[in-house]
Every structure is written in structure tokens, then in C-alpha cells.
């Protein structure tokens, strides 16, 4: 019998993980230039939690809507005018072109230009880690942070999905890395060749000074919050750069208490005449829309390095799509290592 419906997970109202509902939806048909993809793995992020909880945020669509910024799956049906992709071929891509996510689904249609073939040697859950997390890490480490071989970098939230991506890329780029974490996360930081700093037991700015003498060249801070960014700034040596890439702390303290003070402090620090820099950092979606070649070339490079074993993405958990609420509960508890991934019946990855 011909399939006419799929399942997806949608946010029906703001609130806790219980507002995620597993529903039937008509099978989407690709428009010209699009490809229908049978999703094997979809990433779960702190931004998903933030948009699930909030009554309103910039760019929020009308409910119900599906979350999920990155997917890996197989080509199911190319739309008119699409060439270069074959039926059954595994591809990776971001849903950012759709607006807010959409990846929590069994099938979706994406622009063919947003899809990059996945080379042999990666399973779907590993590959999906290399999309938004590693692209975000690469963007902030190299384009915004201007990291150079031999420099020192401090990574916050170093045991999380983006944090482990930053450590992995820092090791690959020949940087001397330090990472804040706690508990089991400290061992993960050390496994990537970085120096672990327990943020619950130590003042990381003081510890950095004790370890380096004059501070680090680069701090990449995905946590946000005025006091935290200020301490990150203090950990820099003269000429250092502070790169703020997000406000993951909003999942505990709320958007207004984290993102707004972060924006204000970021602007004020640019006027401090001490040789340090706080570059502007447009988000991944905005950057990729302006730099399409960078997106495709960098994602293809990351996937190739992953397939060759030169990058080692960390999958925290593989959770069935129908149990997306459990994935959100895991993120909210914290303490997980790496990226939480939703898998579907299309996946060859055991849940």
C-alpha cells in the first residue's frame, strides 16, 4: 500500500517535555529544487528546549511546530530539476532554511543545495553530530575566533555537544585547549587532549591564570550571562578574543536573564581599550545564508574527517523519535556527554 502519512513530533503549547506530541502528518511532496529525505537521525539542542518552553521568541512560528536543526537520512524522492543525488543515498543537512527546525520527523523536504552526501564509515547518529554542532564550532573557532596553531583556547560547556566539537576541532587545529566541565565530563575533556577545569570547584579565570601565566588567546563561551562572560573576558591575555556563541544557560535561568545581559556586556566590552577583542558573531543560520559555499564545503570536509576517524563526534544517547520528550528530559537534567540524537525506524542505528 502506498504510504500517505508519516509521524513527527510537534510542540503544541509552551511548557515542559510533556508538550511534545507524536502525531501523524501527510507525507510531504518535494517542490522544484527540493528532495524528500527519509530521516534516520535528528539532533536535539538547547535551542529546541528554549523554543519549547517560551511563550514567544524571535522567529517562533505558530504552534504546532516541529523542532530539530539538523538531520541525516536517505534520499527518498528528488523534486523536479534536482540532479546529482541518487535514491537511497545518505545525506546530511540543516533545516535552518525552513525557519525554526522541522527535523523531528520521519520524512521532510529540504532544498537539494542544503544536502551533502555522507561518505561510508559514519553511522547516522555520528554524522548528525557533525552538522550543526561541528559547523557551529568551526565557525566560532576559526571564522570568528581566528584561531591559529599553537594558540591557547578555553572552551566552556566542554562536555556538551558543541563543547566536545570545539575540543575535537581544537585538537585537529593544533591548539592548546582548556575545557570547563564537572564530574564525568572532566575525563571527556582530558580524552580530547585538553586540560580539564572543574567549574564547580574552581574559579576558571583564576585557574587559567595559574596554568598559563598571562591567560588564553581565545575563549569560546556558549553559556552566556553577564557575570560569566565577564569572567571569560578576564581569562584572556592581551590581544585575546572572546567569542560568545550562544546562551545555553537560558534553559535554567530564562532568556531575559541570560541573553539580554550578554548582549549588553558584549557591546560594552568592545569599547574597553585593553587590546582584547569581542567580535560580532551572527548565528549559524544567518552566516550560512550569506556563505553557501562555506556551508557546503565545510560540512563535506567535516563528514570526510569523521569518516576517516580524524574527528570523533560523541553521541550522548540515541532515543527513538516517539520518545522525544525523554530526550528533552535528558538535556534538562544535564550531565550528559556529547549530543543527544533522535533516531527513526529508517535508521540503521539501534536505539
Amino acid at each position: 500500500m502506498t504510504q500517505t502519512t508519516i509521524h513527527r513530533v510537534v510542540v503544541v503549547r509552551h511548557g515542559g517535555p510533556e508538550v511534545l506530541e507524536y502525531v501523524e502528518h501527510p507525507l510531504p511532496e518535494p517542490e522544484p529544487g527540493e528532495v524528500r529525505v527519509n530521516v534516520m537521525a535528528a539532533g536535539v539542542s538547547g535551542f529546541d528546549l528554549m523554543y519549547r518552553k517560551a511563550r514567544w521568541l524571535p522567529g517562533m512560528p505558530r504552534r504546532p511546530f516541529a523542532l530539530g536543526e539538523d538531520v541525516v537520512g536517505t534520499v527518498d524522492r528528488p523534486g523536479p530539476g534536482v540532479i546529482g543525488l541518487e535514491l537511497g543515498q545518505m545525506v546530511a543537512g540543516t533545516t535552518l532554511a525552513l525557519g525554526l527546525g522541522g527535523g523531528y520527523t520521519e520524512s521532510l523536504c529540504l532544498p537539494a543545495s542544503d544536502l551533502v552526501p555522507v561518505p561510508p564509515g559514519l553511522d547516522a547518529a555520528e554524522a548528525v553530530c557533525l552538522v550543526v554542532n561541528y559547523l557551529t564550532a568551526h565557525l566560532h573557532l576559526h571564522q570568528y575566533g581566528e584561531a591559529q596553531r599553537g594558540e591557547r583556547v578555553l572552551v566552556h560547556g566542554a562536555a556538551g555537544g558543541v563543547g566536545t566539537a570545539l575540543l575535537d576541532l581544537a585538537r585537529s587545529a593544533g591548539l592548546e585547549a582548556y575545557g570547563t566541565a564537572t564530574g564525568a565530563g572532566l575525563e571527556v575533556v582530558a580524552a580530547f587532549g585538553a586540560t580539564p577545569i572543574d567549574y564547580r570547584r574552581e574559579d576558571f579565570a583564576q585557574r587559567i591564570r595559574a596554568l598559563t601565566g598571562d591567560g588564553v588567546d581565545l575563549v569560546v563561551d556558549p553559556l552566556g550571562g553577564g557575570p560569566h562572560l565577564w569572567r571569560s573576558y578576564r581569562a584572556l591575555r592581551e590581544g585575546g578574543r572572546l567569542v560568545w556563541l550562544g546562551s545555553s544557560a537560558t534553559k535554567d535561568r530564562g532568556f531575559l536573564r541570560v541573553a539580554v545581559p550578554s548582549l549588553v556586556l558584549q557591546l560594552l566590552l568592545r569599547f574597553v581599550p585593553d587590546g582584547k577583542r569581542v567580535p560580532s558573531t551572527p548565528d549559524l543560520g544567518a552566516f550560512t545564508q550569506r556563505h553557501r559555499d562555506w556551508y557546503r564545503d565545510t560540512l563535506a570536509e567535516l563528514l570526510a574527517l569523521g569518516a576517516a576517524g580524524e574527528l570523533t563526534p560523541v553521541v550522548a544517547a540515541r532515543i527513538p523519535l516517539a520518545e522525544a520528550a525523554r530526550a528533552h528530559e535528558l538535556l534538562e537534567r544535564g550531565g550528559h556527554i556529547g549530543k543527544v540524537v533522535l533516531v527513526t525506524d529508517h535508521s540503521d542505528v539501534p536505539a
Side-chain angles (χ1 to χ4, degrees):
M1 185 171 62
T2 302
Q3 179 183 359
T4 60
T5 63
I6 58 167
H7 289 94
R8 65 175 186 159
V9 175
V10 297
V11 178
V12 294
R13 62 188 183 278
H14 78 277
E18 72 279 358
V19 306
L20 298 175
E21 292 191 3
Y22 186 64
V23 300
E24 281 195 345
H25 186 75
L27 180 69
E29 293 296 331
E31 299 289 337
E34 291 185 340
V35 173
R36 186 167 69 209
V37 175
N38 285 338
V39 175
M40 302 169 69
V44 181
S45 73
F47 283 101
D48 294 343
L49 271 62
M50 185 168 64
Y51 275 90
R52 187 207 74 218
K53 291 180 177 181
R55 289 181 179 272
W56 179 87
L57 284 173
M60 177 178 285
R62 293 181 62 182
R63 298 180 182 93
F65 59 83
L67 298 166
E69 299 177 303
D70 40 10
V71 295
V72 168
T74 55
V75 174
D76 180 44
R77 182 177 179 184
V82 173
I83 58 175
L85 293 174
E86 301 177 358
L87 287 176
Q89 183 177 16
M90 189 187 294
V91 292
T94 174
T95 64
L96 293 173
L98 301 178
L100 175 64
Y104 290 15
T105 183
E106 292 177 326
S107 297
L108 81 167
C109 296
L110 290 171
S113 59
D114 288 348
L115 297 172
V116 176
V118 176
L122 281 173
D123 71 25
E126 293 172 336
V128 83
C129 295
L130 295 167
V131 186
V132 168
N133 282 22
Y134 273 70
L135 284 172
T136 298
H138 194 287
L139 176 64
H140 289 79
L141 192 65
H142 294 295
Q143 273 64 37
Y144 298 148
E146 301 176 6
Q148 303 295 319
R149 182 172 292 274
E151 286 190 323
R152 302 174 186 144
V153 58
L154 170 63
V155 174
H156 289 302
V162 174
T164 52
L166 283 162
L167 292 181
D168 208 3
L169 292 175
R171 177 175 60 180
S172 177
L175 302 177
E176 182 181 332
Y178 304 81
T180 61
T182 194
L186 297 169
E187 296 179 5
V188 175
V189 173
F192 278 99
T195 300
I197 298 174
D198 191 333
Y199 66 83
R200 287 185 176 165
R201 297 173 178 268
E202 303 174 281
D203 181 307
F204 68 80
Q206 292 180 5
R207 182 64 173 150
I208 283 293
R209 290 287 176 180
L211 289 168
T212 66
D214 60 350
V216 295
D217 301 283
L218 175 64
V219 177
V220 186
D221 191 332
L223 302 178
H228 196 271
L229 283 177
W230 172 241
R231 291 166 62 209
S232 291
Y233 190 80
R234 288 174 46 222
L236 291 172
R237 64 187 300 183
E238 184 178 356
R241 293 87 65 198
L242 170 59
V243 173
W244 172 46
L245 69 80
S247 300
S248 64
T250 57
K251 71 182 179 70
D252 298 317
R253 298 170 52 203
F255 180 79
L256 293 178
R257 294 179 61 191
V258 177
V260 174
S262 299
L263 284 168
V264 172
L265 182 63
Q266 184 188 42
L267 291 172
L268 291 175
L269 289 176
R270 292 177 188 169
F271 296 97
V272 178
D274 59 0
K276 301 177 183 179
R277 289 189 288 128
V278 184
S280 175
T281 55
D283 64 26
L284 179 65
F287 187 87
T288 56
Q289 289 305 311
R290 296 197 306 269
H291 303 278
R292 304 301 297 166
D293 289 344
W294 175 87
Y295 161 75
R296 290 189 59 85
D297 292 347
T298 306
L299 181 52
E301 177 187 355
L302 293 170
L303 291 167
L305 290 171
E310 296 182 34
L311 294 177
T312 54
V314 180
V315 179
R318 308 166 193 255
I319 297 176
L321 178 66
E323 300 176 31
R326 180 159 67 90
H328 278 227
E329 290 169 358
L330 177 58
L331 255 70
E332 290 192 334
R333 285 198 305 270
H336 62 281
I337 307 299
K339 186 177 182 70
V340 177
V341 176
L342 297 175
V343 295
T344 74
D345 290 341
H346 297 302
S347 178
D348 58 354
V349 182

